[in-house]
Amino acid sequence: MLLSFVIVYLVCSVGIGLYAATRVHNTKDFAVAGRTLPLPVVTATVFATWFGAETVLGISATFVKDGLRAVVADPFGSSLCLILAGLWFARRLYRLNLLTIGDFYRLRYNRTVEVLCTLCIVASYLGWVSAQIKALGLVFNVVTDGAMSQPVGMVLGTVIVLTYTTFGGMFSVAILDFVQITIIMGGMLYIGTVVSGLAGGVGTVVTHAAAAGKLDFFPPARVDAWVPFLGAWMTMMFGSIPQQDVFQRITSARDERTAVLGSVLGGTLYFFFAFVPMFLAYSATLVDPAQAAQLLARDSQLILPTLIVQHTPIAAQIIFFGALLSAIMSCSSATLLAPSVLFSENIVKACAPRISDRGLLRVMRTVLIVFAAIVLLVALHSDASIFKMVEGAYKVTLVAAFVPLVAGLYWPRATTQGGVVAVGMGLGSWLALELAVTPDRVWPPQLVGVLVAAVGMVAGSLLSHWIARPPGPGGSAARQSVITPAE
């Protein structure tokens, strides 16, 4: 019965996505849904895109193993990213009326910065999307009681998500997100009540978790504890802001106010609902301690789905896996679409400047298929946990794209030279530290990288001003040739 429901659900999802494809007529429709989405849909797509495999399976498993402090990156950092994006970036980016975040780097700096930042952002999606594909394989393996292996499940899941995303683009993503958010929120709350009853109530679970030290959030008052803690927090909080999927949700809104409120509301909803899977997974340690201990040692990501399959009625199983599939599919489709649009617009289009809009739309769909194939290969050959794959995805955007975005929007004296130096120094220092084998290091490489990038932006910009405006008459005119004012 559970498997039958999953099949029906997947067929309906593909059908809705293909129906949405009838509204796609050009690249603007495909990439940003024609900038027509109302507040409820923007809020839903912000929430549903982030409430994915890492939230239900990755965060919950990490919390059971290492406690609240270990999930500082997500949901604490990721939800703050969405809220900050709404409050500080949404209005300025929306007014630019651009198709991708890469367009901003070209207009504010130059083609070099555009290409470097675009490639870094595209690369960051490999880990994120691969995590969703791995989760789909895990779900299909569980609901078929092992009849379908996880690799086969990954392939099947990729084909399903790819089908409706390739045809419908952002319209398919938005409409399915709006439908799926109801299933996710209602399903998770219902499962919470069922599992709570099995574990002895919410108070019992919370008290047990507190006694076990799982609710300790802040690290000890030591530098070697606080620096990695802040590094993990900042990686998701700041590194996620210069992402195409965040940009698409902002610019898909029908007006500035909707862009701001949708991002803030979606981020707030995400923060609170992310605690539901953590509660469910920890409840498993009380419902069946022996099994939870066994899975914790083998694969902690199986704790929550195994609890649902073995200890809840069939109705609860259907609702849970419906919510889980909704979360993973909505996140997968959005994170497949974003890098494909970005790469097509900012890399491929520059090589064929005379390409028609219809031709570019075909390119976007082709790149989407190629990117999905690459992501599937990464997922099939990666041994990293879902949580680690997502957490690691944002390191490159933090060190390469975050500083040029903030400086370009808020510092009028930022120059093209400063942008190039920031990207180069940020990437270079981060890669050098990542490749260096130093197991006892305190400073995370990505934290050093973003600080070095900030220094590079300031030094490069001020130096270019000094060169262009030497002392004496005519300095003012020379200065104007260097500055590219922020919008």
Side-chain angles (χ1 to χ4, degrees), residues 102-116:
D103 292 340
F104 169 80
Y105 293 108
R106 182 182 68 252
L107 294 177
R108 183 61 178 87
Y109 300 104
N110 65 357
R111 174 68 179 161
T112 301
V113 178
E114 174 196 14
V115 171
L116 289 173

Side-chain angles (χ1 to χ4, degrees), residues 230-286:
L230 292 176
W233 198 339
M234 289 176 62
T235 299
M236 290 286 282
M237 182 168 58
F238 294 147
S240 304
I241 291 177
Q243 287 282 3
Q244 175 64 14
D245 62 287
V246 175
F247 178 85
Q248 279 179 297
R249 270 128 203 83
I250 290 172
T251 53
S252 295
R254 63 185 179 187
D255 53 48
E256 283 184 30
R257 181 176 178 274
T258 300
V260 174
L261 288 178
S263 187
V264 173
L265 290 175
T268 304
L269 279 176
Y270 174 77
F271 177 76
F272 287 108
F273 267 87
F275 285 92
V276 177
M278 284 190 266
F279 170 81
L280 296 176
Y282 195 81
S283 297
T285 64
L286 303 184

Side-chain angles (χ1 to χ4, degrees), residues 203-215:
T204 301
V205 176
V206 173
T207 301
H208 191 281
K214 300 297 183 181
L215 300 186

Side-chain angles (χ1 to χ4, degrees), residues 250-338:
I250 290 172
T251 53
S252 295
R254 63 185 179 187
D255 53 48
E256 283 184 30
R257 181 176 178 274
T258 300
V260 174
L261 288 178
S263 187
V264 173
L265 290 175
T268 304
L269 279 176
Y270 174 77
F271 177 76
F272 287 108
F273 267 87
F275 285 92
V276 177
M278 284 190 266
F279 170 81
L280 296 176
Y282 195 81
S283 297
T285 64
L286 303 184
V287 175
D288 194 338
Q291 184 183 70
Q294 181 183 8
L295 291 174
L296 195 63
R298 181 164 60 93
D299 186 354
S300 59
Q301 295 169 149
L302 290 170
I303 290 177
L304 181 51
T306 303
L307 167 73
I308 300 300
V309 169
Q310 296 188 3
H311 295 280
T312 62
I314 188 65
Q317 294 177 37
I318 289 173
I319 292 173
F320 172 79
F321 283 102
L324 179 56
L325 281 171
S326 295
I328 297 173
M329 289 174 64
S330 61
C331 191
S332 301
S333 58
T335 50
L336 274 175
L337 178 66

Side-chain angles (χ1 to χ4, degrees), residues 44-376:
T45 194
V46 168
F47 170 84
T49 299
W50 285 67
F51 199 94
E54 76 284 359
T55 312
V56 181
L57 301 176
I59 293 176
S60 60
T62 303
F63 172 74
V64 172
K65 288 177 63 178
D66 303 315
L68 199 61
R69 188 180 302 152
V71 296
V72 61
D74 194 2
F76 292 92
S78 54
S79 56
L80 277 173
C81 157
L82 297 173
I83 294 171
L84 290 174
L87 295 176
W88 295 101
F89 296 89
R91 291 188 185 278
R92 291 174 180 249
L93 291 175
Y94 189 89
R95 291 171 188 170
L96 297 177
N97 193 23
L98 303 174
L99 198 64
T100 69
I101 188 70
D103 292 340
F104 169 80
Y105 293 108
R106 182 182 68 252
L107 294 177
R108 183 61 178 87
Y109 300 104
N110 65 357
R111 174 68 179 161
T112 301
V113 178
E114 174 196 14
V115 171
L116 289 173
C117 289
T118 294
L119 292 177
C120 289
I121 294 170
V122 169
S124 73
Y125 281 95
L126 289 174
W128 191 5
V129 188
S130 297
Q132 313 309 314
I133 300 304
K134 287 192 71 171
L136 283 172
L138 186 150
V139 171
F140 288 138
N141 176 258
V142 172
V143 299
T144 59
D145 197 21
M148 181 181 292
S149 67
Q150 290 195 29
V152 173
M154 291 181 203
V155 175
L156 178 61
T158 302
V159 171
I160 292 171
V161 174
L162 186 61
T163 299
Y164 66 79
T165 308
T166 301
F167 289 99
M170 190 60 192
F171 269 122
S172 289
V173 171
I175 292 174
L176 276 171
D177 283 353
F178 186 68
V179 172
Q180 289 166 339
I181 190 176
T182 305
I183 300 173
I184 293 170
M185 296 174 71
M188 285 296 165
L189 291 176
Y190 170 73
I191 293 299
T193 61
V194 173
V195 173
S196 174
L198 294 174
V202 175
T204 301
V205 176
V206 173
T207 301
H208 191 281
K214 300 297 183 181
L215 300 186
D216 296 339
F217 180 65
F218 294 108
R222 302 194 314 268
V223 172
D224 62 342
W226 269 94
V227 171
F229 178 79
L230 292 176
W233 198 339
M234 289 176 62
T235 299
M236 290 286 282
M237 182 168 58
F238 294 147
S240 304
I241 291 177
Q243 287 282 3
Q244 175 64 14
D245 62 287
V246 175
F247 178 85
Q248 279 179 297
R249 270 128 203 83
I250 290 172
T251 53
S252 295
R254 63 185 179 187
D255 53 48
E256 283 184 30
R257 181 176 178 274
T258 300
V260 174
L261 288 178
S263 187
V264 173
L265 290 175
T268 304
L269 279 176
Y270 174 77
F271 177 76
F272 287 108
F273 267 87
F275 285 92
V276 177
M278 284 190 266
F279 170 81
L280 296 176
Y282 195 81
S283 297
T285 64
L286 303 184
V287 175
D288 194 338
Q291 184 183 70
Q294 181 183 8
L295 291 174
L296 195 63
R298 181 164 60 93
D299 186 354
S300 59
Q301 295 169 149
L302 290 170
I303 290 177
L304 181 51
T306 303
L307 167 73
I308 300 300
V309 169
Q310 296 188 3
H311 295 280
T312 62
I314 188 65
Q317 294 177 37
I318 289 173
I319 292 173
F320 172 79
F321 283 102
L324 179 56
L325 281 171
S326 295
I328 297 173
M329 289 174 64
S330 61
C331 191
S332 301
S333 58
T335 50
L336 274 175
L337 178 66
S340 304
V341 169
L342 185 64
F343 187 83
S344 302
E345 169 71 12
N346 298 103
I347 303 297
V348 178
K349 186 179 177 181
C351 300
R354 296 185 179 181
I355 190 171
S356 66
D357 188 78
R358 184 173 295 275
L360 183 59
L361 182 57
R362 285 196 297 268
V363 169
M364 287 181 178
R365 285 171 167 158
T366 303
V367 171
L368 182 65
I369 295 171
V370 173
F371 188 77
I374 295 172
V375 164
L376 177 59

